Amino acid sequence: MQPRWNDLQDFLAVARTGQLSRAAASTGVDATTIGRRLRRLEASLGQTLFEKTREGQVLTEAGERLFAHAEAMQRAADQIDERASTAKELAGLLRVSVSEGFGAWFIAQHLSTFIEQFPALTVDLVASSGFLSPSKRETDIAILLARPRAGPVVSAKLADYGLRAYASHDYVARSGQVMDTETLRQRTLVGYIPDLLYAPELRYLGEIDNALVPTVRSSSILAQHRLIASDVGIGVLPCFIGDADPRLIRILPEVHIKRSFWMVTHQDMRQLQRVRVFNSWLTALVSGNRNQLLGN
């Protein structure tokens, strides 16, 4: 019995993510269905493709061989889809993995201009605390906080962006002005939960003063923004969030932290038309909003 294409696609998802639950999240197919398809695929081939470990699913030697063939089939299918869609109208699925603040606050407010140009595309904007992996083909494009050092990926700097310390007007009126870091240590600080940081680039407060420790913490930058705007305390925000909220003012204006966004794609996907048009659109968008991103 020949393997079914759906079964091979689910096999690829599990091989790339290492877990049934992650594969289910990346494909939109429930884990039970993926498990059933994997068993059917193994039965049709007469081979065991995965070993189940405490961490998840690990490819066997037979699984590694199938993975190489299935990836080649997927690349060919992608190219066929691209030729068909560009001959008429660009269509299909585009998945973009991006940090929560940049995705939900910045990209989301501008995305309508991209959708107007390519209405037949389905766009998954995965804006969350953490990233999907372009090297494992979990996403078409990832906007990361650091350039990957390894893997079959192509990366380029997208933009620099600035961060500053912010508080609400009401908080400052109640607690008093902050003129130096010694005074800042005496205020309520809002920040990330240290052991839930998904990237070292998110350690902001230490760059202002090593003695600064947040006492109101969240893994979400959008939740931190809401806390700061609700007069809870002082925290560091990207300038494209903090400067856009009229309830907030900059604290210690001389403090200006800089970070970068990197656009990353799998080396086999960079020439796909849907990837190229989004890269071009986003590059033009950040170029036109450079001062907003930097907080100049």
Side-chain angles (χ1 to χ4, degrees), residues 236-251:
V236 175
L237 295 171
C239 294
F240 59 81
I241 295 178
D243 289 347
D245 191 334
R247 296 171 295 179
L248 303 183
I249 58 174
R250 293 177 177 178
I251 302 299

Side-chain angles (χ1 to χ4, degrees), residues 30 36 53 109 162 213 238-239 250-252 274 276 278 284:
D30 66 84
R36 184 177 68 251
T53 69
Q109 67 175 304
V213 178
C239 294
R250 293 177 177 178
I251 302 299
L252 298 178
R274 65 179 184 269
R276 293 206 309 269
F278 187 85

Side-chain angles (χ1 to χ4, degrees), residues 2 7 9 18 24 41 50 61 63 69 71 87 106 112 125 129 154 161 203-204 206 231 242 246 252 264 271:
Q2 292 294 321
D7 297 352
Q9 288 179 305
L41 179 61
F50 292 98
E61 188 174 333
H69 292 300
E71 276 217 309
F106 184 82
S112 62
L125 184 63
S129 297
V154 178
Y161 68 101
R203 300 184 187 278
Y204 305 134
D231 314 330
L252 298 178
V264 183
Q271 295 304 321

Side-chain angles (χ1 to χ4, degrees), residues 159-161 163 200-204 207 257-261:
D160 293 325
Y161 68 101
L163 304 104
E201 290 78 17
L202 300 178
R203 300 184 187 278
Y204 305 134
E207 293 191 25
I257 300 168
K258 191 171 81 171
R259 293 288 189 270
S260 301
F261 290 123

Side-chain angles (χ1 to χ4, degrees), residues 129-283:
S129 297
F131 300 98
L132 300 179
S133 171
S135 64
K136 296 180 180 178
R137 296 171 65 108
E138 295 173 350
T139 183
D140 296 312
I141 301 166
I143 312 300
L144 304 180
L145 301 180
R147 187 172 197 167
R149 297 183 178 180
V153 296
V154 178
S155 59
K157 182 185 281 192
L158 176 64
D160 293 325
Y161 68 101
L163 304 104
R164 295 182 184 271
Y166 292 89
S168 70
H169 289 277
D170 290 344
Y171 179 84
V172 172
R174 185 179 73 240
S175 301
Q177 293 286 345
V178 177
M179 306 304 295
D180 50 42
T181 56
E182 183 177 351
T183 307
L184 186 58
R185 294 186 206 124
Q186 301 167 20
R187 300 291 188 262
T188 300
L189 299 178
V190 176
Y192 280 102
I193 303 170
D195 57 342
L196 295 182
L197 282 174
Y198 61 89
E201 290 78 17
L202 300 178
R203 300 184 187 278
Y204 305 134
L205 289 174
E207 293 191 25
I208 301 174
D209 187 318
N210 286 329
L212 296 179
V213 178
T215 56
V216 181
R217 311 185 302 186
S218 174
S219 60
S220 164
I221 192 65
L222 298 185
Q224 290 177 44
H225 165 249
R226 181 64 64 88
L227 289 164
I228 296 166
S230 299
D231 314 330
V232 170
I234 299 170
V236 175
L237 295 171
C239 294
F240 59 81
I241 295 178
D243 289 347
D245 191 334
R247 296 171 295 179
L248 303 183
I249 58 174
R250 293 177 177 178
I251 302 299
L252 298 178
E254 69 275 10
V255 174
H256 192 191
I257 300 168
K258 191 171 81 171
R259 293 288 189 270
S260 301
F261 290 123
W262 293 83
M263 182 135 42
V264 183
T265 60
H266 192 285
Q267 61 187 14
D268 293 333
M269 303 178 72
R270 59 178 170 168
Q271 295 304 321
L272 294 179
Q273 183 70 2
R274 65 179 184 269
V275 171
R276 293 206 309 269
V277 296
F278 187 85
N279 284 358
S280 297
W281 172 81
L282 186 56
T283 299

